[in-house]
Amino acid sequence: MSRAEAQAPLHGVSERAGAHAAAGRELKERYTAADLAVFTRDEARRFAPGGDGDPQNNVVLAWELLYRLEPELYDRLASAERLHPGVVSWLPRGVDRIAEVGAGTGRLTMELMARGQHVVAVEPALPLRRILRRKLAAAGYGGRVRVVPGFFDQLPLPGDFADLVVACSAFTPSAGHGGDAGLAEMERVCRPGGCVAIIWPNHLEWLAARGYRYVSFPGPASVEFRSCREAVELAEIFYPKAADAVRRRGEQSVPFEVLGVNPPRDLAFKVMAG
């Protein structure tokens, strides 16, 4: 743990974040421009260029603030949105090194332990890194995973480093969250013959134009909340249009189709030329 991480507030949650959580408001209403002060200089340059931005009119910016102001809330959602087992089974097994970009709080990281000997988890948000480290230590994986700060367009890894380079629910074509520069970095880090995989991708045509192939796995998929109460609470924040339907169902397991979200059952991949 770096000195900056050791001196940070527990999980990076400020007093303002506590007020947000108590309010129970949906994501786009939880933060204001004043909350942009939580960003580091590098984060502000990527997510709020010019030093301004309105998270109530920019949902991408609201998500970035969520990661830093209410990381435990995000972790509850990510833990419920489980990956289709076919996605994890598809990933190469028995490789030496894996690089995961945008690791978050470990939705995929914990699954990667069975696929490779060594994992480097790159995550820009300090509060999410702290939660991920805590989870890895509790599971006894701390010695096999190196958690480091970094952005898609500036990965802190050498070229030809990993057999598998993967991002889950983090990569988009936008410059701040990947784009051409981020994709080039992921490919730079991947060794010849290795695989770059984008799990739960969007903009499939954009990836296809860059040589990526698509795989999807059939079968039902649901968000597995810890309780009926949590299902309603998190739906009100993250899926407000579906909150009434979730409340009427009265179940902790909610199909993705009820929430109006494509389930995490697919991936796009590219095998690097030898």
Side-chain angles (χ1 to χ4, degrees):
M1 180 182 297
S2 69
R3 179 176 300 179
E5 289 172 309
Q7 294 175 342
L10 182 61
H11 308 316
V13 181
S14 67
E15 292 181 1
R16 280 186 58 86
H20 290 309
R25 291 173 291 182
E26 65 178 274
L27 181 62
K28 70 178 184 178
E29 298 177 352
R30 295 179 81 81
Y31 315 114
T32 69
D35 290 312
L36 300 182
V38 74
F39 287 144
T40 66
R41 182 177 300 177
D42 280 346
E43 290 168 348
R45 179 167 58 85
R46 286 172 168 82
F47 308 132
D52 56 9
D54 181 4
Q56 298 193 4
N57 289 307
N58 183 338
V59 69
V60 175
L61 191 56
W63 278 99
E64 292 297 336
L65 290 171
L66 170 72
Y67 303 149
R68 292 158 178 85
L69 291 171
E70 300 180 88
E72 297 283 2
L73 176 61
Y74 167 72
D75 184 51
R76 290 168 60 198
L77 176 69
S79 297
E81 294 177 334
R82 300 172 188 173
L83 299 175
H84 189 292
V87 170
V88 177
S89 297
W90 183 94
L91 294 175
R93 180 185 290 271
V95 301
D96 182 20
R97 295 176 178 173
I98 299 174
E100 182 187 5
V101 188
T105 59
R107 175 181 8 218
L108 177 63
T109 316
M110 309 301 286
E111 304 281 2
L112 293 175
M113 296 301 98
R115 321 306 295 186
Q117 295 298 313
H118 306 282
V119 177
V120 177
V122 182
E123 168 52 49
L126 183 152
L128 301 189
R129 292 198 303 272
R130 298 189 71 175
I131 294 175
L132 177 54
R133 284 198 179 103
R134 186 182 71 206
K135 286 184 176 181
L136 291 167
Y141 293 142
R144 291 180 53 199
V145 183
R146 183 159 58 97
V147 181
V148 299
F151 297 92
F152 273 106
D153 63 346
Q154 234 175 2
L155 297 179
L157 298 170
D160 300 345
F161 173 80
D163 304 281
L164 171 65
V165 183
V166 60
C168 177
S169 185
F171 184 93
T172 77
S174 69
H177 300 87
D180 281 307
L183 202 61
E185 272 288 88
M186 293 179 71
E187 294 180 2
R188 175 187 68 80
V189 168
C190 190
R191 68 165 180 80
C195 179
V196 176
I198 310 295
I199 295 175
W200 209 0
N202 59 10
H203 301 282
L204 294 174
E205 291 183 359
W206 187 91
L207 288 166
R210 288 153 179 80
Y212 281 73
R213 299 166 62 188
Y214 179 68
V215 180
S216 182
F217 301 90
S222 298
V223 181
E224 302 295 339
F225 298 103
R226 292 179 293 187
S227 66
C228 299
R229 180 177 179 180
E230 181 180 72
V232 172
E233 177 190 354
L234 296 188
E236 289 174 342
I237 296 171
F238 297 105
Y239 310 107
K241 292 181 179 179
D244 286 343
V246 172
R247 190 177 293 106
R248 287 194 299 270
R249 286 178 61 88
E251 299 176 3
Q252 65 188 77
S253 180
V254 182
F256 276 91
E257 60 193 38
V258 172
L259 301 173
V261 177
N262 291 327
R265 65 164 82 247
D266 55 353
L267 60 88
F269 73 96
K270 181 177 183 179
V271 176
M272 304 307 297

